[in-house]
Amino acid sequence: MTMEFTDRLTRVEPSATLAISALATELENDGVDVVDLSVGEPDFPTPENIVEAGKDAMDAGHTGYTTSAGIIDLREAISEKLADDGLDHGPEEIIVTPGAKQALYEIIQALISDGDEVALLDPAWVSYEAMVKMAGGDLTRVDLSETDFQLEPALDDLEAAVSDETELLIVNSPSNPTGAVYSDAALEGVRDLAVEHDITVISDEIYKEITYGVEPTSLGTLEGMADRTITVNGFSKAYSMTGWRLGYFAGPEDLINQAGKLHSHSVSSAVNFVQHAGLEALETEDPVAEMVDAFEDRRDLVINLLEEHDIDVAEPEGAFYMMVPVDDDDQAWCEGALEDAHVATVPGSAFGTPGYARISYAASEERLEEGIERLADEGYL
Ligand code: PLP
């Protein structure tokens, strides 16, 4: 029997990150100075030339509907960007969406039905679980917390978790919430299993442009992966454009067309002038190199500060998050840290990995220092 959509929704929790942010905002409204280390957005403005391109596009009248898949100039520019990453997708294999989240939602809704099995690597970004449940799918989870969040040493566990029943595997490298970048050997292991069991893979590469001394490989470039990988990316993180809502997905035409139907009958397209701003973003060389340098300095700062309290973390190689080991009851730890130290973090259990809190270092060095000091003073470190 198929499950009603309303029943599926009852299986979904509200976003833990948004719930913590809401609590933090409540405290702030009461006049409390909260150090918010829970947010998943760069604390840098969108580069000026991109803002100007958006305004110019609006002035030029780019305010009507666009083709559902997105304006051809942007899809061609995305196609070139993907080619630089070694991926071969023409504009007809690319759909522009209002954010990468929408891209993921459309793909999962299009590919997954009642009882289909989807494998996740834990800790995993909060919305994957919710999206799979909304589609009626069942989850198989592989815990990477015993291997410093690296996939390569956990490939045996992944092998044990997947089978011919597995419809979809979601890989997110660099990862939210760990900042881990998976090695080529790990991705080759994924490829071998995907080919053996005929599994479609979503490669969520939203943090690909934010890395520290490593270059993540795109899964779709591996031999045997081109016709089974859907690559997701967007402009929110790499260009500090979270509120503009611009993302995309690219993959083999049959899979893209399925998801594209959902796209055209629901959101229609991304905002017209925003797509023009995205075109400018892709044409700008290293628009946010300064931001990535700042994140790297902050990562090092936080690691050093935590070391002073005898806390070792797995060093992130990308994105702007790290998982800090805390009490087994991470939910209580995070609530207490917010109430007592006025520091907002996100419980690891929200990502499928209890015993950790996720810290976002998309905050100034002063605020990071203040946050760690408060946590230590209140006995949380
Ligand atoms: N994928 C991951 C792993 C994320 O962390 C996020 C946002 O936090 C997204 C996708 C969605 O990004 P957006 O919808 O802003 O493009």
Side-chain angles (χ1 to χ4, degrees):
M1 204 170 89
T2 58
M3 207 187 297
E4 298 293 337
F5 192 69
T6 42
D7 291 335
R8 295 181 199 163
L9 278 179
T10 59
R11 302 201 296 162
V12 174
E13 298 293 328
S15 160
T17 31
L18 297 182
I20 285 280
S21 281
L23 275 179
T25 308
E26 249 176 59
L27 282 174
E28 277 168 344
N29 289 344
D30 288 344
V32 175
D33 170 36
V34 175
V35 177
D36 195 348
L37 307 184
S38 71
V39 280
E41 82 178 315
D43 55 323
F44 289 81
T46 305
E48 196 48 42
N49 62 314
I50 300 176
V51 175
E52 286 306 320
K55 286 187 198 162
D56 289 349
M58 221 193 295
D59 288 344
H62 293 300
T63 54
Y65 288 129
T66 70
T67 49
S68 170
I71 57 172
I72 186 67
D73 289 355
L74 180 59
R75 280 183 292 134
E76 275 170 357
I78 292 169
S79 170
E80 279 169 31
K81 185 249 181 257
L82 293 174
D84 289 344
D85 294 342
L87 294 164
D88 180 17
H89 293 295
E92 71 290 350
E93 292 182 331
I94 295 168
I95 292 184
V96 175
T97 55
K101 191 182 250 186
Q102 177 68 20
L104 288 157
Y105 179 75
E106 290 175 8
I107 300 161
I108 292 170
Q109 280 292 330
L111 299 187
I112 298 304
S113 0
D114 281 326
D116 282 348
E117 199 181 292
V118 180
L120 290 187
L121 303 170
D122 277 340
W125 180 51
V126 289
S127 291
Y128 300 141
E129 174 181 334
M131 288 177 187
V132 170
K133 285 182 171 174
M134 283 192 273
D138 292 329
L139 289 156
T140 303
R141 314 189 71 133
V142 178
D143 179 20
L144 303 186
S145 66
E146 296 297 315
T147 55
D148 268 352
F149 307 119
Q150 280 301 327
L151 174 57
E152 195 181 332
L155 279 175
D156 286 348
D157 296 336
L158 180 60
E159 184 173 6
V162 296
S163 69
D164 290 351
E165 298 301 305
T166 312
E167 200 68 40
L168 183 69
L169 166 67
I170 304 179
V171 177
N172 169 220
S173 172
S175 150
N176 175 7
T178 68
V181 175
Y182 301 142
S183 66
D184 285 357
L187 299 183
E188 282 159 16
V190 167
R191 183 264 319 274
D192 293 347
L193 292 169
V195 170
E196 181 185 342
H197 298 294
D198 193 19
I199 301 170
T200 301
V201 182
I202 292 177
S203 182
D204 180 349
E205 304 185 358
I206 189 86
Y207 297 100
K208 191 174 198 296
E209 283 72 32
I210 303 176
T211 55
Y212 316 116
V214 289
E215 261 201 39
T217 299
S218 284
L219 200 42
T221 61
L222 270 58
E223 204 188 328
M225 288 306 283
D227 61 355
R228 62 176 67 255
T229 307
I230 304 180
T231 303
V232 174
N233 204 335
F235 295 74
S236 286
K237 320 287 177 170
Y239 303 100
S240 203
M241 292 177 70
T242 48
W244 295 71
R245 310 310 299 131
L246 192 62
Y248 57 89
F249 58 101
E253 215 171 340
D254 53 334
L255 296 179
I256 295 302
N257 286 346
Q258 278 301 94
K261 282 187 251 173
L262 177 63
H263 178 78
S264 66
H265 288 299
S266 52
V267 295
S268 291
S269 64
V271 173
N272 190 335
F273 61 85
V274 168
Q275 295 186 51
H276 285 82
L279 191 54
E280 172 72 15
L282 287 177
E283 282 167 358
T284 314
E285 190 134 340
D286 267 348
V288 280
E290 221 176 284
M291 171 178 92
V292 177
D293 287 346
F295 283 152
E296 187 170 6
D297 289 345
R298 295 167 185 187
R299 175 199 65 168
D300 296 343
L301 172 75
V302 176
I303 288 177
N304 289 336
L305 290 172
L306 290 172
E307 255 171 23
E308 285 173 17
H309 298 283
D310 294 325
I311 296 169
D312 279 333
V313 293
E315 184 177 283
E317 290 184 302
F320 39 76
Y321 311 104
M322 67 177 74
M323 289 291 260
V324 180
V326 297
D327 298 349
D328 288 347
D329 190 347
D330 53 297
Q331 185 79 36
W333 189 95
C334 289
E335 280 169 17
L338 184 54
E339 273 165 30
D340 303 336
H342 300 145
V343 177
T345 56
V346 184
S349 48
F351 305 93
T353 311
Y356 292 86
R358 188 197 74 176
I359 281 189
S360 158
Y361 46 93
S364 70
E365 295 198 358
E366 296 71 42
R367 294 304 273 171
L368 289 166
E369 279 167 352
E370 168 82 21
I372 306 274
E373 193 179 315
R374 286 192 200 176
L375 288 172
D377 287 350
E378 292 295 330
Y380 284 87
L381 295 179

